[in-house]
């Protein structure tokens, strides 16, 4: 990102990938570097193995670990967290498992006052 915080001012940052110390155009990197690496590794150069899939992997790892949609949207540069949710919600396969674990944990702890959760006042 060209900024330290989403609402901050631009600042210079060293690029991870360069070509002769200049910016690599995304399509150029995908076509020459990424696809060449896939071919050398014996991996098909189909769309599902495209470099953009790393972005999806990044988002799915964050969401899987419970990072908020709002934070993931900021990391990805999305202005609307709703867009992020619509795009990546299918990448949260363990959401049901996390939900069950949260409820089980809450019920295992019981009320702070020591009464039964099922006690009727």
């Amino acid at each position: 990102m060209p900024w330290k915080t989403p609402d901050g001012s631009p600042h210079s940052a060293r690029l991870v990938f360069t070509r002769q110390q200049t910016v690599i155009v995304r399509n150029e990197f995908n076509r020459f570097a990424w696809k060449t690496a896939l071919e050398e590794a014996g991996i098909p150069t189909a769309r599902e193995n495209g470099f953009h899939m790393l972005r999806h992997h990044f988002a799915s790892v964050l969401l899987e670990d419970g990072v908020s949609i709002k934070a993931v949207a900021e990391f990805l540069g999305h202005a609307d967290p709703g867009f992020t949710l619509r795009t990546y919600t299918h990448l949260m396969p363990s959401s049901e498992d996390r939900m069950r674990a949260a409820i089980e944990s809450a019920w295992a702890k019981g009320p702070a006052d020591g009464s039964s959760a099922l006690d009727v006042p």
Side-chain angles (χ1 to χ4, degrees):
M1 287 191 270
W3 52 82
K4 290 184 179 182
T5 62
D7 60 345
S9 59
H11 77 283
S12 296
R14 293 190 63 188
L15 300 174
V16 176
F17 300 104
T18 61
R19 183 176 181 159
Q20 298 174 346
Q21 299 180 355
T22 62
V23 174
I24 296 177
V25 177
R26 177 179 52 97
N27 289 339
E28 181 180 315
F29 178 83
N30 200 26
R31 188 177 315 117
F32 298 112
W34 186 254
K35 287 189 178 182
T36 299
L38 290 175
E39 288 168 355
E40 289 178 7
I43 299 171
T45 58
R47 188 174 197 277
E48 62 268 11
N49 297 326
F51 188 74
H52 191 73
M53 287 298 135
L54 291 178
R55 181 177 173 90
H56 292 287
H57 175 71
F58 174 74
S60 67
V61 167
L62 296 179
L63 294 170
E64 178 81 21
D65 203 39
V67 176
S68 74
I69 290 289
K70 184 176 185 296
V72 173
E74 288 178 4
F75 296 147
L76 296 176
H78 295 164
D80 175 19
F83 173 81
T84 308
L85 183 60
R86 289 187 301 278
T87 304
Y88 294 102
T89 192
H90 70 284
L91 297 176
M92 297 186 283
S94 71
S95 293
E96 290 178 3
D97 293 337
R98 284 198 327 261
M99 177 188 65
R100 279 191 286 276
I103 295 299
E104 287 174 7
S105 175
W107 280 87
K109 292 176 188 170
D113 65 3
S115 65
S116 169
L118 298 177
D119 286 346
V120 177

